[in-house]
Amino acid sequence: MLIYLDPSAIADAVGGGATAEKSCECIELLLRMHREGQHVVAIAPEDIEAVGPLLPRLSRREKSTLERIRGTSLELLSLRSRLDWYVELGVGARFDGKEHIESSGIHVVRAPLHHFDRSTRTIRAVLLGENLLDVDFYAEVAQLLLTLRNLRRLRLQFERRGAGGSTLAPEFARIADDGRIVLAIADSDRRYPEGPKGETWRELEKKAQGRSAFQRAREVHGREAENLVPLDVYDAALTQKSAKDPRRSVVADLRRLAEEHRAHADIKDGITLYQIEHTMKAGEREFWSDVSAELRRDRCQRPKGKCQQRAECGCFVVEGLGAHVLKQIVEWLRQEGPRHPREVARLFDLPQNPKLAQLSGEIAAWGCAFPEMLT
């Protein structure tokens, strides 16, 4: 994550007061994290000059890191307007750990420098999802966003963790209780626009309340991660495997759905008439009944009576792409070849897809770092 050291942090470290020693230790830790490629630390040139009294206590590597920050300070400081979020560390009452939104729309988390007084708190951020496949997908799309913003030198250096269902909220709480920077993402599991959010997200939201803003939980704006993938991306990935992949016809059918329908459809397993008639509750049933009528898929095609269970029903209102389709998307995104990353990014249409761009912007901000300094 981009961490900007406010002048108050430097002033406290060199001021000789009661907290000067702790401020020095925190700054030393942050310099090490920048050097190791775990976070990006930015310091204004005039504040680097003010660090002078601390130089005797810094190691050779810390001094080298400080010089590297000095030499790239303009680039580092410019990231404050090129990333959607960053952390500003300082000393004083205004560094309350809360999110502040600037007039430009940039989110700034003003946090106390002294929170980062041990290496277990300054190591790279955690990206937590319902499973590692979801986490890998989120990270790949966020890297595309960095490419679009001409920030290709930045890399996402998350510790990636997956914890699904009832284990997600407790895992988030354990990470946050350790004081680490963490971004947790849960499926909304919302099955129609006005439908209730899933239990996984509701429990995670509770665990996130009252914590520092750099310990953030957020839901995806569709039903699941699969609902975030644009149809052009599905089509491109399936075509690369085989131009005759039968799932391409499913993608073509999905194009017939309105955007709000696709956002809440079961992309993996599909939706059948049996589910609408027998397993859905009132609001969800009415929503998908209307969709089935609109698509003229509201009549059972079984010649000899009604189905007795979901597995028997072949009357799909929305067909699914299979349980492993997201894995195929991630593999496609990771392939090396003649494709230019910008071409792939355009398929995701991030500039015209504000919800996905917002999610990707948060992920990119939480995980960004430069490669490890080797000298």
Side-chain angles (χ1 to χ4, degrees), residues 273 277 297-303 305-307 313 315:
L273 280 178
E277 295 173 359
R297 294 184 174 183
D298 54 344
R299 294 186 180 182
C300 180
Q301 303 300 309
R302 189 178 176 91
K306 295 283 187 177
C307 300
C313 185
C315 298

Side-chain angles (χ1 to χ4, degrees), residues 33-319:
M33 292 304 105
H34 182 87
R35 178 184 182 80
E36 293 177 356
Q38 305 210 41
H39 296 288
V40 178
V41 176
I43 310 174
E46 60 271 22
D47 295 320
I48 293 178
E49 295 299 326
V51 172
L54 300 184
L55 291 178
R57 65 176 289 157
L58 297 182
S59 69
R60 179 184 63 82
R61 288 188 171 186
E62 289 164 353
K63 291 175 183 176
S64 173
T65 303
L66 194 61
E67 283 304 307
R68 183 71 64 89
I69 292 174
R70 183 202 305 272
T72 58
S73 61
L74 292 180
E75 177 187 6
L76 297 178
L77 292 172
S78 74
L79 294 176
R80 293 182 298 174
S81 61
R82 302 178 71 187
L83 294 168
D84 295 350
W85 291 69
Y86 69 91
V87 173
E88 185 176 296
L89 297 183
V91 177
R94 76 187 189 97
F95 296 94
D96 53 10
K98 295 180 180 179
E99 169 194 354
H100 303 266
I101 304 178
E102 298 182 335
S103 58
S104 61
I106 302 296
H107 300 253
V108 183
V109 181
R110 295 197 177 100
L113 172 68
H114 296 158
H115 174 85
F116 296 95
D117 60 352
R118 63 199 77 165
S119 59
T120 53
R121 293 183 171 186
T122 56
I123 55 177
R124 60 185 174 169
V126 177
L127 180 59
L128 176 65
E130 295 200 34
N131 56 69
L132 284 175
L133 182 60
D134 284 2
V135 169
D136 288 343
F137 169 69
Y138 298 142
E140 291 297 326
V141 179
Q143 191 68 57
L144 289 176
L145 183 70
L146 292 177
T147 298
L148 279 178
R149 294 183 180 179
N150 293 316
L151 294 171
R152 280 176 287 181
R153 279 219 310 134
L154 288 175
R155 293 291 180 266
L156 298 180
Q157 302 290 359
F158 285 114
E159 178 181 336
R160 304 182 185 195
R161 294 194 193 181
S166 61
T167 64
L168 184 65
E171 180 67 8
F172 171 81
R174 280 192 290 271
I175 296 167
D177 287 346
D178 286 340
R180 294 187 63 178
I181 296 173
V182 56
L183 176 63
I185 305 173
D187 295 337
S188 74
D189 289 327
R190 184 177 270 173
R191 300 182 175 203
Y192 61 103
E194 294 79 28
K197 298 175 183 179
E199 182 70 15
T200 298
W201 163 248
R202 295 199 301 270
E203 290 301 311
L204 177 61
E205 187 178 32
K206 291 177 187 176
K207 294 293 186 182
Q209 290 176 355
R211 297 189 182 274
S212 295
F214 56 76
Q215 298 170 328
R216 178 169 170 78
R218 63 110 71 217
E219 60 176 316
V220 301
H221 52 274
R223 180 171 177 162
E224 299 173 304
E226 287 79 1
N227 298 77
L228 304 180
V229 182
L231 296 181
D232 286 345
V233 173
Y234 277 127
D235 201 38
L238 295 176
T239 300
Q240 187 178 62
K241 182 177 182 181
S242 170
K244 297 181 180 180
D245 192 316
R247 290 175 295 176
R248 292 191 65 202
S249 64
V250 177
V251 174
D253 278 348
L254 288 171
R255 293 186 189 278
R256 298 173 58 196
L257 293 175
E259 184 178 346
E260 69 169 357
H261 299 160
R262 289 199 302 270
H264 301 284
D266 188 338
I267 298 295
K268 290 183 288 189
D269 298 325
I271 296 173
T272 65
L273 280 178
Y274 180 88
Q275 289 174 281
I276 294 173
E277 295 173 359
H278 298 286
T279 67
M280 291 183 178
K281 295 182 180 180
E284 183 184 7
R285 182 169 60 248
E286 292 166 5
F287 178 80
W288 288 107
S289 291
D290 289 345
V291 173
S292 67
E294 183 179 331
L295 297 175
R296 297 183 180 180
R297 294 184 174 183
D298 54 344
R299 294 186 180 182
C300 180
Q301 303 300 309
R302 189 178 176 91
K304 296 182 180 181
K306 295 283 187 177
C307 300
Q308 300 302 309
Q309 54 186 344
R310 197 267 192 224
E312 295 177 2
C313 185
C315 298
F316 281 92
V317 175
V318 178
E319 289 193 71

